[in-house]
Amino acid sequence: MARSSTWDDYKFLQIVDARAAINQKVNLIGVVVETGLPKQSRGTDCFCSIKVIDESYPSPGISINFFTETMDKLPQVLTVGDIIQLSQVVMKTHGPDIYALFNKKFSTFAIFDRKNNSNFLPYQWSPKYQAREEDKKFILGLMKWVADHKIDAGLADLHSLQEIREGERFNLVCKIVHVCEVEKDKWMLLVWDGTDTPPVTIKTKLEVEMENPLPLQPVDFTLQRDILCTLPPLGTVLRVTVDRCNEKIGINFLKSNRWVKLINIRCELHTALWHAVLMPFTRVCYLSDEDDIVLQRMRQYDERRKSKWGWMPLSSFPWPSDITETDYPNVPFVSLMRALANSRVVGKFHCVVRVVAVFPWLAEDFRSPSGVYRIRLTIEDPTARIHAYLYKEDAEQFFDGYPSVYALTRKRNLLLGTSQGDDASEMNDYFRNPPWIRCCLKSYHIDDSDAWGSRNFRIFATTLKL
């Protein structure tokens, strides 16, 4: 049954009634459960789509498609559960789907904070919107309904970063920790949920490590240190890029330091590093810090962060491989991100990492002609990938002296998770699945005039057992 005011020409339809009013102009008030990314339409307009529900149609809801002259005129919903009032939208069909069309010439909207029922003032409204006294009772009614009912926003079909798989589309609850432009009209989001992306098989050839080294990040873009230091030190920060083949997306609508639900993003691997892609059909829901799913993620993260051994990669549990031992077994672990963001150039850290590449790759070249070890390892954990060096006496301890080339080759293969074959070239034909190992890292600089720019890492106080 339609809800109407005292004016015959002014009434709100419930969604279930509006679905039957095809090609008619209707007025609606609903609860926002999803928002699509704003983007440029194929014409001159800007476009976005949101999904709303009410007590008559709590699932799956109905989509409202908006077309406006500029991005800033599109609705910018702050949080899932906020109330949107729509006037003079036209009910349409597309195949089996029924939706409402916002016409920029005569339709209006206003968006209200679901938790602010003191003044009934919208935080965003379209230019032609006119508030009416009769609106308040409908807005208040929906606010009470939202407070008393759990919003079915598809939370049962959400994944954590720990569960992602290559080539699949997935729905993710995460926090946008940074938004940056990597080049003109190409944007990247940094998102995080407190968990770790799964380790992957390394498929690059070691023999080309000098000419084509394994990259340290999936996107050819290095974060400045002031940004790096603001990122969470525990759990993967996933790079999410916008597919350049798609229409231009209004990326500025995505705000840093906000929890969101990203629906239908595609996960990919590039040089054995995870990243994701925002698709044109990706939908976004802003979440409140008080939503159950957000509180749950933060509780899990806090428990992990406060645990002595919680800084180990989740996939290394219950304990890393025993092929290495350190001189400081009782020192708590930290992540590589914590080491990178250390407030001082010089520092010492106890970490759990994987060795994903080595240069030089032939064991016979590990020492200089004068007999000094000088090796560059590429190591990673769920938070970062860096270079770490084995040099002089630290390498002597690591390899337990000066074993034969045959023994060094076996140690290298064990460290990289490859074939145990005796021939160095044989293992290069195999994929690598490095084990998680314990190691001690120390940071230092080689140029007093550019301490941070010349900062390096070395492995020390660590022994590889065989």
Side-chain angles (χ1 to χ4, degrees), residues 110-135:
I111 311 176
F112 301 83
D113 184 342
R114 63 171 173 170
K115 296 182 178 179
N116 183 5
N117 59 6
S118 59
N119 54 25
F120 297 98
L121 293 177
Y123 60 77
Q124 187 194 4
W125 59 91
S126 58
K128 297 179 182 179
Y129 167 73
Q130 293 183 351
R132 304 173 189 255
E133 188 66 27
E134 288 79 2
D135 299 346

Side-chain angles (χ1 to χ4, degrees), residues 233 308-309 311-313 316 319-321 324-326 328-329 331-340 347-355 379-384 386 388 435-443 457-462:
K308 180 179 180 179
W309 307 119
W311 288 74
M312 293 193 305
S316 72
W319 198 248
S321 168
T324 62
E325 62 183 11
T326 70
Y328 305 97
V331 174
F333 298 120
V334 298
S335 67
L336 291 181
M337 182 62 74
R338 172 59 66 84
L340 285 170
K348 294 182 178 180
F349 316 95
H350 197 203
C351 302
V352 176
V353 303
R354 302 197 311 161
V355 179
I379 64 175
E380 70 175 20
D381 72 1
T383 68
I386 66 171
W436 291 110
I437 64 166
R438 292 163 289 166
C439 72
C440 293
L441 286 176
K442 58 183 174 183
S443 59
F457 289 88
R458 279 173 63 175
I459 291 178
F460 78 105
T462 306

Side-chain angles (χ1 to χ4, degrees), residues 367-381:
R367 298 197 296 268
S368 69
S370 61
V372 177
Y373 281 111
R374 72 280 189 276
I375 307 164
R376 187 192 73 193
L377 304 181
T378 305
I379 64 175
E380 70 175 20
D381 72 1

Side-chain angles (χ1 to χ4, degrees), residues 178-184 186-190 215-224 227-228 239 241 270:
H178 189 67
V179 181
C180 55
E181 189 174 18
V182 296
E183 58 185 71
K184 184 174 174 56
K186 184 176 182 180
W187 292 82
M188 180 173 68
L189 308 179
L190 304 182
L216 301 183
Q217 55 271 328
V219 180
D220 188 17
F221 178 76
T222 302
L223 293 173
Q224 297 296 321
I227 297 174
L228 193 74
R239 273 69 169 170
T241 56
H270 178 65

Side-chain angles (χ1 to χ4, degrees), residues 89-108:
V89 292
V90 183
M91 301 303 300
K92 295 286 188 179
T93 61
H94 180 74
D97 299 324
I98 300 174
Y99 66 96
L101 177 65
F102 180 93
N103 189 302
K104 62 185 179 182
K105 294 181 180 179
F106 52 78
S107 302
T108 67

Side-chain angles (χ1 to χ4, degrees), residues 12 26-30 50 52 64 66 84-89 100 102 108-110:
F12 289 107
V26 300
N27 304 323
L28 301 171
I29 291 185
I50 69 172
V52 302
I64 317 294
F66 292 80
I84 187 166
Q85 177 184 335
L86 298 153
S87 298
Q88 299 292 288
V89 292
F102 180 93
T108 67
F109 74 83

